[in-house]
Amino acid sequence: MATGELGDVGGYYFRFLPQKTFQSLNSKEITSRLRQWSMLGRIKAQAFGFDQTFQAYRKDDFVMAFFKDPNVIPNLKLLSDSSGQWITLGTEVKKIEATNVPCTQLSMSFFHRLYDGDIVRDSGHIVKCLDSFCDPFLISDELRRVLLVEDSEKYEIFSQPDREEFLFCLFKHLCLGGALCQYEDVISPYLETAKLIYKDLVRILLVCAILHQRIMNRHFLTLLWILSGVIFTFYTTVMVWETCLNALSNYVPLLFFIYHFSLLILIDKHLLCKLIQEKCKEPT
């Protein structure tokens, strides 16, 4: 089936979650910055739940099902280009094109190259440059030049895969701002705001594996906090006083104690299934 064509969309069922809020977009400090950057009221996040397992190779079917769902059509908000007001989708979408946006960056050290490339000084001040235009933006500093001008000598400090990262896209959006943006002289407000919004929108996956031990005739739980399937913190011998059978779906709080120690390690994601099946080693 061609991209975006109507057909079997996998039976996905979506539900609108109006009670879900995004603290990063509502805090006083972030609101003040968005107002300065002419973005207040022009950036919005909404949450929807769905009832089937997401499969990346069927992303087009998934997105089509989303836009066709009767719980999405009257609730999904769009910013009107003509009126500048938020309106609902209001109609069934006939064609879509889904693009993967990678979220592999786990640290703000991703932007350290701005300092190394003399775009930002050690003090955090953004290096100024002669004014030029990249329609519709006025470029008056090296930060906007490296974000927009492809033939600039420093443009390649961020590769094309880097520029496709969600963290980079969010950072760029904040730096460029709206039509009446009052630009910052220092880099920290952009970095801090991008970090808070990114953490709010991109969640850490929690994987639970129950290991049945005969010690004290109790169940022990191994928690694997997965960051993009690469980095996780492995807590050994964690005693649980509540069940975690529905922890992922119902967010049941667990009362537990770290009995031994925690260890931060790097591991290839293909080894994850094998690790989950292994038993916890005895504390030495």
Side-chain angles (χ1 to χ4, degrees):
M1 184 173 65
T3 299
E5 289 184 358
L6 296 179
D8 178 19
V9 291
Y12 291 104
Y13 172 81
F14 294 86
R15 64 187 186 281
F16 180 42
L17 305 175
Q19 73 279 7
K20 169 62 180 175
T21 59
F22 298 89
Q23 185 176 359
S24 60
L25 295 176
N26 296 313
S27 69
K28 184 177 180 180
E29 184 176 16
I30 299 301
T31 298
S32 176
R33 290 173 182 171
L34 293 178
R35 180 181 292 107
Q36 177 181 335
W37 301 335
S38 187
M39 298 178 68
L40 186 63
R42 300 182 64 83
I43 182 171
K44 183 185 290 289
Q46 293 179 277
F48 293 83
F50 57 98
D51 66 339
Q52 300 289 332
T53 300
F54 173 75
Q55 297 170 320
Y57 74 94
R58 297 191 63 203
K59 67 181 187 305
D60 295 318
D61 291 338
F62 178 84
V63 176
M64 177 60 82
F66 175 77
F67 285 110
K68 290 171 61 69
D69 194 279
N71 290 318
V72 173
I73 293 174
N75 291 303
L76 182 63
K77 296 288 187 179
L78 305 174
L79 189 62
S80 171
D81 291 333
S82 57
S83 66
Q85 301 296 316
W86 288 98
I87 59 175
T88 58
L89 179 61
T91 186
E92 184 177 293
V93 172
K94 302 298 182 183
K95 183 178 180 179
I96 59 95
E97 181 177 352
T99 302
N100 287 323
V101 180
C103 300
T104 64
Q105 292 303 319
L106 309 177
S107 171
M108 297 304 288
S109 61
F110 177 69
F111 295 106
H112 284 180
R113 68 194 79 181
L114 294 174
Y115 295 87
D116 300 335
D118 295 326
I119 295 165
V120 179
R121 303 189 192 280
D122 291 341
S123 63
H125 285 79
I126 302 169
V127 177
K128 300 298 181 180
C129 67
L130 295 176
D131 288 351
S132 61
F133 285 91
C134 184
D135 192 42
F137 298 101
L138 170 65
I139 298 176
S140 57
D141 58 52
E142 293 292 343
L143 176 60
R144 266 154 285 281
R145 184 185 297 276
V146 81
L147 293 176
L148 292 171
V149 183
E150 295 186 15
D151 58 358
S152 68
E153 58 182 9
K154 299 177 182 179
Y155 185 84
E156 292 186 357
I157 69 169
F158 289 102
S159 65
Q160 187 56 39
D162 288 336
R163 293 173 181 271
E164 293 171 358
E165 286 282 340
F166 180 51
L167 180 59
F168 181 90
C169 295
L170 182 58
F171 173 76
K172 178 180 178 179
H173 190 50
L174 296 173
C175 290
L176 298 180
L180 302 176
C181 178
Q182 301 176 53
Y183 296 124
E184 300 285 350
D185 293 323
V186 295
I187 193 70
S188 56
Y190 298 129
L191 293 176
E192 292 169 1
T193 305
K195 177 181 178 180
L196 290 173
I197 297 177
Y198 186 73
K199 289 176 65 177
D200 209 8
L201 297 181
V202 180
R203 292 300 185 184
I204 298 171
L205 175 64
L206 172 64
V207 178
C208 292
I210 298 179
L211 302 181
H212 297 281
Q213 301 282 335
R214 293 184 178 180
I215 304 173
M216 296 177 60
N217 196 27
R218 290 191 181 274
H219 288 184
F220 288 78
L221 179 69
T222 299
L223 295 180
L224 305 179
W225 287 90
I226 312 300
L227 298 177
S228 295
V230 179
I231 302 176
F232 68 87
T233 304
F234 181 72
Y235 293 99
T236 63
T237 322
V238 179
M239 187 175 296
V240 181
W241 297 102
E242 297 286 343
T243 180
C244 76
L245 295 179
N246 297 316
L248 294 180
S249 59
N250 297 326
Y251 302 97
V252 176
L254 303 178
L255 177 62
F256 61 90
F257 300 91
I258 299 179
Y259 182 76
H260 190 43
F261 63 90
S262 63
L263 175 65
L264 179 64
I265 63 176
L266 297 178
I267 189 167
D268 187 282
K269 62 183 179 181
H270 297 294
L271 299 178
L272 178 59
C273 293
K274 180 179 178 181
L275 284 174
I276 291 178
Q277 294 173 357
E278 292 179 354
K279 294 184 178 181
C280 280
K281 293 183 178 180
E282 296 281 347
T284 57

